[in-house]
């Protein structure tokens, strides 16, 4: 008969439990005790062997993990450019060294997670300008004569090495040593030495359920650690094959795998067969008693357990069926910690959550979205209101002074251009304008500056026809031209030039403003860029900061800004924003208006 024709899915759960008891508990226990009684002792013996192997594997894993922790720390230090730079830096004074020590070494120790398996971290360097304390040491001739230094100094040793390290009287531990040669700033030799806590090593070998002697052997077969008392392995190298045991001794060993720095290392356990059989004999005496208990108790327990969860499972099922009629009544009664109890708790939580979602969440989300929109609009309006039209006052002052001195009527044209700029600055309700309108405004401003500076200023505007109808935030480019003329060209004696290139390529609108003016130092440029990224208060550089923050609000991560400048050579600013043509923008605004009226 095929199993799928038995159709167990339609059998009640109580009957399934009874069938499972007879075929999975009762019958197997009877047959097992009758047929395999004589095999029990041998099986228990094998289990003892398996337990011993697991104990050795646990020691191997724990020891490897501790070494891995130390190697991992050495790797992070190996690729840490700040600490490598600190170890090779030429310090001019002790104060400089202490400041850098607190920044790099002390900060690293504080930021690194506390690892109880690490006893200490020491740095060795050839740098003569350092104060050698607090874990930093000079590589002296005495150190160069030490064996671990000779091993780590070999050219073929590019990774960490494991060496013995004295940890006290009659106690030794291990150290992970590595050359820090990933960075060579001043070609100085740097070494990190990470000492492993000897208490952790001792705990690994002594806190396992292994009833024999344990040995840690290196790739040469020498004993690196042992729990056997009276064995003189601390004073001189001692190989494991020099130790004699009776013929009845069982030897088990496990290799430390997947670690190149512990290649061919292994843990060996030696246990007498008599010790293993004591547990075997004790186990055999309980076989008959356990068989009787296993036959009697399951009958009683299965009835109690079945009654325990079947009644509560039926209650949960009844409430779940009510949910199809939108009845989300919770299940009352005492809460339990088993799976059915957790199922009941989760059902009550789900039922209450569904009610909350139906009643509150939709309305709350709508209100939250409305608040976010109002907040962004308020932030944008605040940035717009912060623009200080100082360039207007500079231009008006120029016109006034020129008119007083020369009494010229040609100032009429300049005043007309000034009126355009001033009128545009007062119409913030018009958030978006075309590039063509922005360029007209820029041209008016440059004519004013040309009038002010005379032959000292020359300018050129290159506008791509494809970019003319692109929409941009009002006065997005003008503050950069104003900044170039006032801070770049004004300090010059002659031959000042401003070039503006506006183009559209692959859906990206690019505006590049270049001048051959005074420029700025690298420190000043970096300071300006840092203040923009940190969104500091407006303060200085009003024009640049306002435009930068406005474009950030409009375009987010799609806005790109570059600033290149050299002192006494000039400045180049590049702005890149996504294309938004006039027709598409107007259609979007019309849709927004319709949606607003529908709401």
């Amino acid at each position: 008969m095929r199993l799928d024709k038995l159709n167990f899915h339609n059998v009640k759960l109580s009957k399934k439990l009874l069938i499972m008891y007879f075929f999975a508990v009762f019958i197997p226990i009877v047959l097992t005790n009758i047929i395999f009684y004589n095999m029990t002792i041998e099986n228990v013996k094998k289990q003892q062997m398996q337990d011993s192997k697991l104990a050795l594997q646990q020691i191997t894993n724990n020891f490897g993990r501790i070494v891995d922790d130390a190697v991992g720390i050495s790797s992070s230090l190996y690729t840490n450019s700040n600490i490598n730079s600190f170890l090779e830096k030429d310090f001019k004074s002790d104060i400089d060294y202490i400041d850098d020590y607190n920044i790099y070494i002390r900060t690293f120790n504080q930021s690194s997670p506390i690892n109880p398996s690490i006893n200490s971290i020491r740095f060795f360097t050839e740098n003569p300008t350092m104060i050698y304390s607090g874990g930093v040491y000079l590589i002296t001739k005495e150190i160069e004569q030490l064996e671990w230094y000779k091993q780590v100094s070999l050219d073929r040793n590019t990774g960490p090495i494991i060496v013995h390290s004295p940890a006290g009287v009659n106690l030794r531990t291990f150290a992970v040593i590595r050359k820090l040669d990933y960075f060579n700033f001043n070609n100085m030799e740097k070494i990190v030495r990470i000492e492993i806590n000897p208490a952790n090593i001792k705990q690994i070998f002594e806190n396992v359920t292994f009833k024999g002697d344990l040995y840690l052997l290196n790739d040469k077969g020498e004993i690196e650690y042992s729990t056997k008392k009276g064995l003189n392995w601390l004073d001189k190298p001692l190989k494991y094959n020099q130790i004699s045991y009776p013929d009845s001794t069982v030897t088990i060993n496990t290799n430390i795998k997947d670690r190149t720095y512990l290649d061919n290392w292994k843990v060996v356990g030696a246990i007498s067969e008599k010790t293993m059989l004591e547990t075997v004999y004790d186990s055999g005496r309980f076989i008959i008693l356990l068989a009787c208990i296993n036959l009697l108790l399951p009958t009683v327990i299965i009835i109690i357990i079945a009654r325990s969860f079947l009644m509560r499972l039926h209650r949960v099922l009844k409430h779940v069926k009510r949910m199809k009629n939108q009845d989300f009544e919770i299940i009352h009664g005492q809460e339990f910690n088993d799976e059915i109890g957790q199922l009941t708790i989760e059902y009550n939580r789900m039922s209450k959550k569904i009610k909350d979602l139906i009643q509150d969440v939709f309305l709350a989300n709508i209100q939250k979205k409305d608040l976010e929109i109002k907040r962004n609009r308020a932030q944008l309006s605040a940035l717009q209101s912060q623009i200080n039209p100082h360039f207007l006052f500079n231009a008006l002052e120029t016109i006034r002074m020129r008119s007083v001195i020369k009494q010229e009527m040609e100032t009429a044209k300049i005043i007309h251009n000034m009126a355009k700029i001033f009128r545009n600055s007062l119409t913030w309700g018009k958030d978006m304008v075309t590039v063509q309108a922005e360029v007209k405004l820029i041209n008016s401003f440059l004519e004013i500056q040309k009038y002010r500076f005379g032959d000292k200023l020359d300018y050129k505007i290159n506008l791509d026809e494809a970019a003319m109808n692109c929409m941009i935030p009002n006065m997005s480019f003008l503050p950069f031209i104003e900044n170039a003329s006032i801070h770049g060209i004004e300090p010059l004696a002659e031959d000042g030039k401003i070039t503006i290139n506006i183009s559209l390529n692959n859906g990206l609108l690019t505006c590049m403003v270049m001048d051959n003016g005074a420029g700025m130092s690298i420190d000043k440029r970096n300071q300006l860029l840092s203040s923009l990224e940190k969104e500091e208060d407006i303060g200085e550089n009003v024009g640049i900061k306002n435009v930068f923050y406005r474009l950030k609000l409009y375009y987010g991560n799609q806005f790109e800004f570059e600033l290149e400048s050299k002192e006494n050579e000039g400045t180049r600013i590049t702005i890149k924003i996504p294309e938004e043509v006039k027709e598409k923008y107007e259609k979007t605004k019309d849709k927004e208006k319709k949606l607003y009226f529908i709401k």
Side-chain angles (χ1 to χ4, degrees):
M1 181 182 295
R2 293 177 57 186
L3 292 177
D4 56 348
K5 291 184 178 180
L6 295 176
N7 201 6
F8 279 107
H9 298 296
N10 293 326
V11 180
K12 289 186 177 181
L13 188 58
S14 58
K15 293 183 179 180
K16 289 180 182 178
L17 291 174
L18 189 59
I19 293 172
M20 182 177 65
Y21 167 74
F22 275 105
F23 286 95
V25 178
F26 184 85
I27 295 177
I29 289 177
V30 172
L31 293 178
T32 300
N33 283 276
I34 293 175
I35 298 174
F36 298 104
Y37 177 80
N38 294 326
M39 299 177 61
T40 301
I41 293 178
E42 186 65 23
N43 290 336
V44 174
K45 181 179 178 180
K46 291 180 180 179
Q47 185 62 47
Q48 288 291 317
M49 288 289 295
Q50 183 65 27
D51 291 342
S52 299
K53 290 180 180 180
L54 291 176
L56 292 185
Q57 188 63 48
Q58 179 183 352
I59 294 173
T60 301
N61 294 338
N62 291 340
F63 178 77
R65 190 179 300 113
I66 288 179
V67 177
D68 284 345
D69 290 343
V71 171
I73 294 175
S74 73
S75 298
S76 65
L77 293 170
Y78 182 73
T79 57
N80 191 315
S81 60
N82 291 329
I83 291 182
N84 279 266
S85 176
F86 164 78
L87 294 174
E88 293 192 53
K89 183 176 179 181
D90 185 11
F91 296 99
K92 304 303 181 182
S93 65
D94 292 346
I95 298 300
D96 292 341
Y97 171 81
I98 294 172
D99 289 341
D100 283 7
Y101 178 89
N102 291 330
I103 292 174
Y104 299 114
I105 303 300
R106 193 181 301 277
T107 301
F108 173 81
N109 291 332
Q110 293 175 351
S111 62
S112 300
I114 298 175
N115 193 330
S117 64
I118 303 303
N119 196 31
S120 66
I121 300 177
R122 302 178 183 180
F123 297 94
F124 296 85
T125 178
E126 294 177 333
N127 192 343
T129 64
M130 305 180 78
I131 301 176
Y132 293 101
S133 63
V136 181
Y137 302 89
L138 177 65
I139 298 178
T140 62
K141 292 183 178 180
E142 289 77 9
I143 291 178
E144 291 177 351
Q145 299 302 317
L146 298 177
E147 185 63 27
W148 64 264
Y149 177 85
K150 295 178 181 178
Q151 293 183 36
V152 80
S153 296
L154 296 176
D155 293 338
R156 64 176 183 273
N157 283 339
T158 59
I161 64 170
I162 313 299
V163 299
H164 255 124
S165 178
V169 180
N170 296 326
L171 186 62
R172 289 163 66 184
T173 183
F174 299 91
V176 175
I177 305 174
R178 187 168 193 168
K179 289 190 293 186
L180 301 178
D181 57 357
Y182 187 82
F183 299 96
N184 285 313
F185 298 100
N186 293 320
N187 292 323
M188 292 186 182
E189 185 176 16
K190 310 178 296 297
I191 299 173
V192 62
R193 181 186 177 99
I194 302 173
E195 302 280 350
I196 297 175
N197 192 339
N200 289 66
I201 302 295
K202 183 178 181 181
Q203 184 178 14
I204 287 174
F205 284 87
E206 295 186 357
N207 287 4
V208 293
T209 57
F210 189 83
K211 300 179 181 180
D213 299 325
L214 294 170
Y215 303 89
L216 174 64
L217 307 182
N218 60 22
D219 55 349
K220 299 177 182 178
E222 297 175 346
I223 299 174
E224 296 285 349
Y225 190 91
S226 176
T227 60
K228 182 177 176 61
K229 297 181 179 180
L231 187 64
N232 187 19
W233 58 274
L234 288 169
D235 299 333
K236 60 181 180 180
L238 179 63
K239 290 191 175 183
Y240 174 75
N241 56 18
Q242 296 176 346
I243 302 174
S244 60
Y245 276 103
D247 296 336
S248 60
T249 302
V250 178
T251 302
I252 308 170
N253 64 77
T254 57
N255 293 324
I256 302 177
K257 301 178 180 179
D258 301 328
R259 294 174 176 88
T260 56
Y261 41 84
L262 293 176
D263 190 24
N264 293 326
W265 284 49
K266 58 185 177 181
V267 176
V268 177
I271 182 171
S272 66
E273 188 174 354
K274 181 179 179 181
T275 302
M276 295 180 64
L277 291 177
E278 287 177 356
T279 305
V280 173
Y281 294 145
D282 291 337
S283 300
R285 285 191 289 267
F286 288 96
I287 292 176
I288 298 176
L289 178 61
L290 290 177
C292 296
I293 295 174
N294 288 337
L295 290 174
L296 179 63
L297 286 182
T299 304
V300 178
I301 293 175
I302 197 169
I303 295 174
I304 297 174
I305 294 178
R307 185 178 179 84
S308 171
F309 70 80
L310 283 176
M311 292 178 59
R312 292 181 293 141
L313 190 60
H314 290 157
R315 184 177 60 173
V316 174
L317 180 60
K318 180 178 67 175
H319 282 78
V320 170
K321 289 181 177 179
R322 291 179 180 176
M323 295 183 70
K324 64 182 179 181
N325 298 322
Q326 297 184 0
D327 183 359
F328 301 106
E329 180 184 358
I330 64 175
I331 301 173
H332 299 283
Q334 183 180 357
E335 295 182 351
F336 298 95
N337 295 325
D338 63 354
E339 286 78 1
I340 298 179
Q342 293 297 319
L343 178 62
T344 304
I345 295 172
E346 293 302 325
Y347 169 83
N348 290 338
R349 184 181 292 112
M350 179 186 66
S351 179
K352 185 177 182 301
K353 191 68 175 180
I354 292 174
K355 290 181 181 179
D356 293 340
L357 287 173
I358 293 174
Q359 296 175 3
D360 302 327
V361 172
F362 290 154
L363 179 60
N365 283 339
I366 293 173
Q367 293 174 346
K368 182 179 179 181
K369 294 293 184 183
D370 189 44
L371 288 174
E372 289 179 354
I373 292 173
K374 290 180 179 179
R375 184 187 64 185
N376 289 336
R377 288 178 177 174
Q379 186 177 5
L380 179 59
S381 298
L383 281 175
Q384 290 175 343
S385 64
Q386 286 177 348
I387 293 186
N388 179 10
H390 55 284
F391 59 87
L392 296 177
F393 298 109
N394 291 336
L396 286 173
E397 180 64 16
T398 301
I399 296 170
R400 187 186 70 81
M401 293 299 297
R402 188 71 173 264
S403 299
V404 170
I405 296 173
K406 300 183 67 176
Q407 298 182 355
E408 295 177 341
M409 293 303 297
E410 62 178 309
T411 57
K413 182 178 180 182
I414 303 304
I415 294 173
H416 177 68
N417 289 329
M418 195 67 244
K420 291 181 182 179
I421 298 175
F422 188 71
R423 183 167 55 253
N424 186 79
S425 68
L426 295 178
T427 57
W428 277 112
K430 189 177 182 181
D431 292 339
M432 304 292 286
V433 298
T434 63
V435 173
Q436 185 178 16
E438 181 81 1
V439 170
K440 288 181 178 180
L441 192 65
I442 291 172
N443 191 69
S444 297
F445 172 76
L446 288 175
E447 286 185 1
I448 294 172
Q449 296 301 94
K450 177 70 175 176
Y451 177 80
R452 177 183 179 184
F453 294 129
D455 295 335
K456 185 170 72 171
L457 172 64
D458 188 16
Y459 66 89
K460 183 177 181 181
I461 302 176
N462 300 316
L463 174 60
D464 188 354
E465 290 186 6
M468 294 177 65
N469 288 327
C470 290
M471 302 298 293
I472 62 174
N474 192 13
M475 294 183 72
S476 294
F477 300 152
L478 181 57
F480 293 104
I481 287 85
E482 184 267 345
N483 194 72
S485 62
I486 299 302
H487 299 291
I489 304 302
E490 185 174 2
L492 297 181
E494 58 184 356
D495 296 332
K497 185 175 182 179
I498 297 176
T499 302
I500 304 160
N501 296 324
I502 303 176
S503 61
L504 180 65
N505 295 305
N506 299 323
L508 200 63
L509 180 64
T510 303
C511 176
M512 184 181 297
V513 180
M514 298 175 288
D515 67 76
N516 62 344
M520 65 182 75
S521 64
I522 295 177
D523 292 340
K524 186 174 181 181
R525 170 188 173 275
N526 293 339
Q527 183 180 3
L528 175 58
L529 291 176
S530 177
S531 67
L532 292 176
E533 293 297 331
K534 294 179 180 178
E535 297 189 6
E536 297 177 351
D537 295 337
I538 296 299
E540 299 178 352
N541 306 109
V542 176
I544 291 180
K545 290 185 177 180
N546 269 288
V547 173
F548 184 89
Y549 298 154
R550 287 176 60 220
L551 293 177
K552 269 289 187 182
L553 280 176
Y554 273 105
Y555 301 107
N557 294 331
Q558 293 180 303
F559 162 60
E560 298 181 20
F561 177 82
E562 297 177 2
L563 189 152
E564 300 177 11
S565 182
K566 291 185 179 181
E567 201 166 4
N568 299 322
E569 292 187 16
T571 302
R572 180 173 68 184
I573 292 177
T574 304
I575 302 169
K576 295 181 180 180
I577 58 177
E579 172 191 8
E580 190 171 5
V581 297
K582 181 178 181 181
E583 293 77 6
K584 182 178 178 182
Y585 172 77
E586 291 176 348
K587 289 180 181 179
T588 303
K589 296 299 289 184
D590 290 340
K591 289 182 180 179
E592 290 179 355
K593 290 180 180 178
K594 291 178 181 178
L595 289 173
Y596 176 77
F597 286 119
I598 289 173
K599 290 171 64 179

